[in-house]
Amino acid sequence: MITVVKPGLLTSVQDMGRYGYQKYGVIASGVMDQIAHRVANILVGNEDNEPTLEITLLGPVLRFEKNCLISICGGDLSPSINRFPVRTWRTIFVKKGSELRFGPAVAGTRVYLAVAGGITVQEAMNSKSTYLRAGIGGYEGRALKPGDVIRVDKPRDLSTAMMESLEGQTGDKPFAEMDWSITSNLIPIHRKDMPIRVMKGRQYHLFDEESKLKIFSERFEVSPQSDRMGYRLKGPLLRLEVPEELISEAVSFGSIQVPPEGNPIILLADRQTTGGYPKIGQIASVDLPLIAQAKPGDYITFKEVTHEEAQLLLLEREENIKQLKNGIILKFK
C-alpha cells in the first residue's frame, strides 16, 4: 500500500485510455505522455497498460507502507526518497516506510509513477483512467487527496526477480536503483523551443496562404488557459481563405483546431469526441509525448512531415520499446 501524505497539484490514476465509448459521448481520457507511462510500467515488469500515477508540475508526498518496486518516468520534477535524490527512467526498489517527494520542475510537466503489480482501482468502461470532469474511473473518479491509500496488486514473477536483485543493495539507504537505464532514444527531449512534427490537417487547404506559411515558420506560446483537454496557443493568427461552417467530425489526440479568433488549440487526452473547428494540422504520434510535457509559457514550433515519415518514426519507436521489453525479460529470466 501507498499512503498519500500530500497530493501535489494534480495527481490522478491513469492508463492508456477509455476506448470504444466515444460514439456515446464518453471521452478517451488516459495518460498525456504514453511513452513515459509505458516505459515506467516496463521497467517494473508490468504490462504496458497497468495504471500509473500521473503527476503534474507540483508533485505529491507518498509513503510506502511495504517494500515496493517503482519507476519514475517523464519530466524531471526533482524526485527524492527520504531526501536522497533519485534518478528517473530506471528501476528502483523502495524500503517499507520510505517517503517519495518531489521538488522543483527542472524539465517537463508530467511524471509517471509505476508500481510493480499495478495500482488496484475499479474499471469503468474497460479502463482505470480518471475522467475528472465526469468523476468516473481511477481513484473514486477524482484527483488524489491527503490520506488516500493506494492499493497495489501482487507483482508478476518478472517483477519479483527484479525486486530480489535490488533488495540486498540498499545498505543504509532507503532505496536501491538498477545500475542501468534505458537507451536515450526512448527518452523524449524536453526543450522550450520544441520542434513538433506535424502532418497537414483535413482542412489545411481551406486556410489562406499566409496561415499555411505561418503554421510551419512561426512559433507559438502555450497559454495559461491550457489543461488536459487542450493547449491553447498564442501567436500569429491563422485564418480561413473564406469563412465557412463545417460539419462536426471526429477529432484525435494531437489535432490542431483553429477557432474563428485564429489562435490554434491542440487537442489532448481529455479532448471532446467531435469538433467543428477546421483542423490545420495533426501532430505525429511519435511527438505526442513532447507536447504532453509542455507547460504554460513554453514556445512551440511546428515542422511539416508526411504521413509516411510519421509512420516510419512511430515504427522505429515501437521497435525500441520491443527491444527494451525483451532485454529486461532476458536479464531476469
Side-chain angles (χ1 to χ4, degrees):
M1 296 189 300
I2 302 171
T3 299
V4 179
V5 180
K6 295 181 180 179
L9 178 65
L10 176 61
T11 304
S12 63
V13 176
Q14 301 289 347
D15 61 17
M16 295 284 280
R18 184 170 285 106
Y19 293 95
Y21 296 91
Q22 293 183 79
K23 60 187 176 183
Y24 304 117
V26 180
I27 68 170
S29 196
V31 293
M32 289 277 283
D33 184 339
Q34 291 195 0
I35 287 300
H37 164 86
R38 292 173 66 190
V39 171
N41 271 320
I42 292 167
L43 287 175
V44 296
N46 289 345
E47 296 289 347
D48 289 26
N49 197 39
E50 285 292 341
T52 59
L53 292 186
E54 181 179 87
I55 296 162
T56 307
L57 276 176
L58 180 64
V61 178
L62 305 171
R63 184 172 64 247
F64 294 87
E65 308 298 352
K66 65 176 183 178
N67 293 343
C68 286
L69 189 73
I70 69 168
S71 63
I72 304 166
C73 295
D76 183 356
L77 303 187
S78 306
S80 65
I81 297 175
N82 289 8
R83 307 293 181 177
F84 290 95
V86 63
R87 290 178 287 185
T88 57
W89 299 95
R90 64 185 60 223
T91 308
I92 306 162
F93 173 83
V94 186
K95 286 182 180 178
K96 176 182 176 180
S98 302
E99 283 191 353
L100 169 66
R101 62 181 63 230
F102 296 84
V106 176
T109 302
R110 293 176 174 85
V111 162
Y112 294 84
L113 173 67
V115 186
I119 296 167
T120 305
V121 291
Q122 287 190 334
E123 281 192 353
M125 289 175 276
N126 299 323
S127 173
K128 297 179 180 179
S129 280
T130 311
Y131 177 8
L132 293 166
R133 283 187 171 89
I136 62 173
Y139 193 101
E140 299 179 1
R142 59 171 171 79
L144 297 184
K145 294 180 180 180
D148 286 344
V149 177
I150 301 165
R151 301 190 180 277
V152 179
D153 281 339
K154 182 182 177 182
R156 301 165 68 199
D157 291 343
L158 175 60
S159 304
T160 301
M162 298 168 80
M163 289 181 73
E164 290 173 350
S165 73
L166 282 173
E167 189 171 2
Q169 301 178 29
T170 55
D172 294 332
K173 292 182 70 175
F175 66 94
E177 302 170 317
M178 286 293 183
D179 56 5
W180 50 267
S181 183
I182 67 172
T183 178
S184 60
N185 58 13
L186 265 179
I187 302 176
I189 300 171
H190 310 302
R191 294 193 297 264
K192 288 187 177 180
D193 287 301
M194 298 186 298
I196 303 297
R197 288 166 287 199
V198 172
M199 298 163 285
K200 292 176 180 177
R202 276 176 50 82
Q203 287 82 36
Y204 175 84
H205 64 285
L206 298 179
F207 287 84
D208 63 30
E209 292 303 316
E210 186 178 3
S211 297
K212 291 177 183 177
L213 177 65
K214 286 177 178 177
I215 189 67
F216 294 120
S217 62
E218 302 286 342
R219 70 176 190 168
F220 298 83
E221 182 183 359
V222 179
S223 163
Q225 286 75 48
S226 298
D227 55 19
R228 280 176 46 90
M229 184 176 181
Y231 283 172
R232 292 183 177 272
L233 305 182
K234 296 188 295 184
L237 300 181
L238 307 178
R239 304 291 187 194
L240 296 177
E241 186 75 51
V242 178
E244 60 178 279
E245 294 291 326
L246 300 175
I247 297 174
S248 291
E249 61 183 19
V251 293
S252 61
F253 199 151
S255 293
I256 305 174
Q257 289 188 328
V258 182
E261 80 271 9
N263 284 309
I265 302 171
I266 303 173
L267 301 184
L268 302 172
D270 284 353
R271 64 198 175 275
Q272 69 274 21
T273 57
T274 61
Y277 294 143
K279 297 184 289 293
I280 195 170
Q282 172 65 44
I283 295 175
S285 296
V286 73
D287 278 356
L288 292 176
L290 285 177
I291 202 67
Q293 293 294 345
K295 58 182 177 295
D298 283 354
Y299 286 93
I300 297 171
T301 57
F302 297 114
K303 175 184 177 182
E304 183 183 356
V305 294
T306 64
H307 285 81
E308 291 77 12
E309 289 171 324
Q311 288 170 341
L312 289 173
L313 289 166
L314 183 61
L315 288 172
E316 180 183 352
R317 188 187 72 184
E318 291 303 310
E319 180 61 29
N320 289 333
I321 289 177
K322 181 180 177 181
Q323 290 179 9
L324 173 63
K325 287 182 180 179
N326 292 338
I328 290 175
I329 291 170
L330 288 173
K331 185 174 179 64
F332 293 99
K333 253 187 174 182

